[in-house]
Amino acid sequence: MELGVFTVLFQDRPLAEALDLVKANGLDAVEIGTGGHPGNAHCDPAELLNDESKRREFQKKITDRGLKISALSCHSNPLHPDPNAAAQNHELFEQTVRLAAKLGVKHVITFSGCPGESEDSKHPVWVTCPWPPEHADVLEWQWQEKVIPYWKEQDRFLKEHGVLAAIEPHPGFNVYNTETCIRLREACGTNIGVNMDPSHFFWQGMDPVASIKKLAEADALFYFHAKDTSFDAGNTAVNGVLDTKPYTDEWNRSWMFRTIGYGQGEKTWRDIISALQLAGYEGVVSIEHEDSLMSVEEGFEKASAFLRSILIRERIGEVFWV
C-alpha cells in the first residue's frame, strides 16, 4: 500500500505549491478533485480534455515530483431530481472518466446519487426506515427506476474507457452502507465498486474491518479514504447519531469528523490497515481532512505521520512473516 492525500484540502493554493507540501511529507500519491463538491481548483476536466499541451503540463507537475495520481474525484448527485442539476453532474462524471482514461488514472470517485420520491420532486429524498409503508415504496422506486438503470449505463461507459468508479458510501445517498454498496455492484456491473471511508461507517455504528472483509469478498474494494470520527458520549446518549446540526456546532453534535487517530485509537487503525492487507488491497490510502478543530496543515501533517508509522510497522511485519 502507498500513502496519498485528497488535495482538496489545499484548494486555496496553486497546484505546484500543494504538490510540494505533499512531497515534503513523504507521500506517494495525490487524489485530485475535478468539480462537484470537491471543486476543480487544481483540475478543470473540460479544459484538460480540450488541450493536450495543458494536459501534459498538468501531469508533468505531478510526475516531476515523483508523485502519481491515485484517483480523480467528482463527488456529486447525478440522480438529482432537478433535471438541470442531474445533467450537469452527469456531464462532470463523464468528463472525469474521459480525463482519467487519457491520464492513465484507474479510479474515479463519486457518490451513487439520490433521486427524489417521484418524477415531480424538487429535492433528493433519502429513505432511512421502512415505515410508514410509503417509505418502502419510495425506496423501491428509486432503485428500480433511477439508481440501477443509471449505473448500468455508466458501467458500460466505464468499461469503454477502462476506468473504475469507486462509489463512496455516504448517508444522504442510496449507497451508504455495506449492503447497498454490494447491491449496486451486483445489479449494475463489475466496473463499479467502493471507495471505503471508515468515518461514515464509524458514525453509523458499523465496523470498518468487518465491512472491508465483506466488500473484498464481493470484489468491490476499489479505493480507500483515511478519515476519522469522534463521538460526544453525552450528546449521543441524548440524541443518537442521526444528527443534522451543522458541522461547525461541535459542542452540541453527537459526532464529528477528526484527523486520523483523534477519533478512534491506534489499535483500531492498525486493525483497519491489516484488514486491507488481508483483503489484498494494494492501492493508496488517501488522507482526507475535514477536522474543524485543526488547521489544514496540522491535520495533514499529523495524519501523514500517524499513517506512515502504521504502514511502516505493517511492512516490517510482512517481512518477518515471509
Side-chain angles (χ1 to χ4, degrees):
M1 276 180 284
E2 295 177 301
L3 189 57
V5 62
F6 190 9
T7 59
V8 67
L9 75 164
F10 299 128
Q11 63 185 338
D12 61 334
R13 306 165 188 244
L15 177 60
E17 184 179 335
L19 295 173
D20 287 339
L21 280 169
V22 174
K23 184 65 177 177
N25 278 271
L27 274 59
D28 309 295
V30 288
E31 174 187 344
I32 300 179
T34 61
H37 294 292
N40 65 353
H42 294 151
C43 178
D44 183 338
E47 180 180 66
L48 295 182
L49 283 170
N50 292 324
D51 192 323
E52 185 177 352
S53 65
K54 288 186 178 180
R55 193 165 64 244
R56 285 199 303 266
E57 180 185 354
F58 169 78
Q59 202 159 21
K60 189 173 186 297
K61 286 179 182 178
I62 296 163
T63 57
D64 280 356
R65 291 167 171 82
L67 299 169
K68 68 177 184 180
I69 305 173
S70 58
L72 298 179
S73 293
C74 57
H75 298 71
S76 63
N77 185 358
L79 301 178
H80 199 290
D82 180 334
N84 293 327
Q88 185 177 31
N89 294 334
H90 172 66
E91 182 182 18
L92 172 62
F93 175 75
E94 285 197 332
Q95 288 177 338
T96 304
V97 170
R98 290 192 180 101
L99 181 59
K102 287 186 178 294
L103 294 174
V105 175
K106 187 177 181 181
H107 295 105
V108 165
I109 317 297
T110 190
F111 296 130
S112 67
C114 182
E117 48 76 38
S118 71
E119 297 290 357
D120 300 319
S121 297
K122 293 183 178 180
H123 303 288
V125 174
W126 184 46
V127 178
T128 61
C129 58
W131 193 91
E134 56 266 30
H135 289 194
D137 294 339
V138 166
L139 186 61
E140 186 66 12
W141 177 85
Q142 288 179 331
W143 275 90
Q144 297 303 324
E145 300 299 323
K146 297 295 181 179
V147 179
I148 292 174
Y150 178 82
W151 283 107
K152 272 188 174 180
E153 183 61 32
Q154 301 326 300
D155 184 72
R156 289 190 285 269
F157 180 73
L158 289 159
K159 286 183 167 68
E160 289 173 5
H161 291 83
V163 175
L164 301 175
I167 305 297
E168 182 170 335
H170 195 296
F173 298 100
N174 284 78
V175 171
Y176 62 93
N177 64 4
T178 308
E179 66 181 1
T180 52
C181 292
I182 294 171
R183 179 181 183 182
L184 186 73
R185 177 176 169 83
E186 290 181 345
C188 300
T190 55
N191 276 49
I192 296 171
V194 178
N195 169 37
M196 171 70 178
D197 182 338
S199 67
H200 305 303
F201 286 64
F202 285 137
W203 78 257
Q204 291 183 86
M206 290 178 274
D207 178 355
V209 170
S211 294
I212 286 168
K213 291 181 179 180
K214 285 291 184 183
L215 293 171
E217 288 169 0
D219 292 324
L221 185 60
F222 283 5
Y223 198 75
F224 186 86
H225 268 177
K227 190 172 79 201
D228 212 338
T229 306
S230 67
F231 294 85
D232 183 297
N235 292 340
T236 301
V238 173
N239 295 316
V241 297
L242 283 177
D243 195 336
T244 60
K245 289 184 287 297
Y247 289 135
T248 53
D249 189 10
E250 298 95 344
W251 185 263
N252 294 304
R253 281 189 56 81
S254 295
W255 55 269
M256 59 185 296
F257 294 128
R258 294 304 315 268
T259 296
I260 299 295
Y262 282 77
Q264 311 303 306
E266 181 177 345
K267 174 64 164 58
T268 296
W269 280 99
R270 291 183 67 180
D271 288 346
I272 289 171
I273 297 299
S274 295
L276 290 173
Q277 288 183 313
L278 288 170
Y281 181 75
E282 297 179 346
V284 168
V285 174
S286 185
I287 295 167
E288 188 176 12
H289 177 83
E290 294 182 13
D291 189 333
S292 60
L293 298 185
M294 287 190 192
S295 69
V296 167
E297 292 81 3
E298 182 184 12
F300 171 58
E301 290 172 3
K302 287 184 174 179
S304 299
F306 184 88
L307 287 169
R308 274 203 312 271
S309 173
I310 292 177
L311 287 172
I312 288 170
R313 291 180 202 173
E314 293 295 328
R315 287 165 186 162
I316 292 172
E318 281 182 346
V319 171
F320 280 108
W321 178 260
V322 172

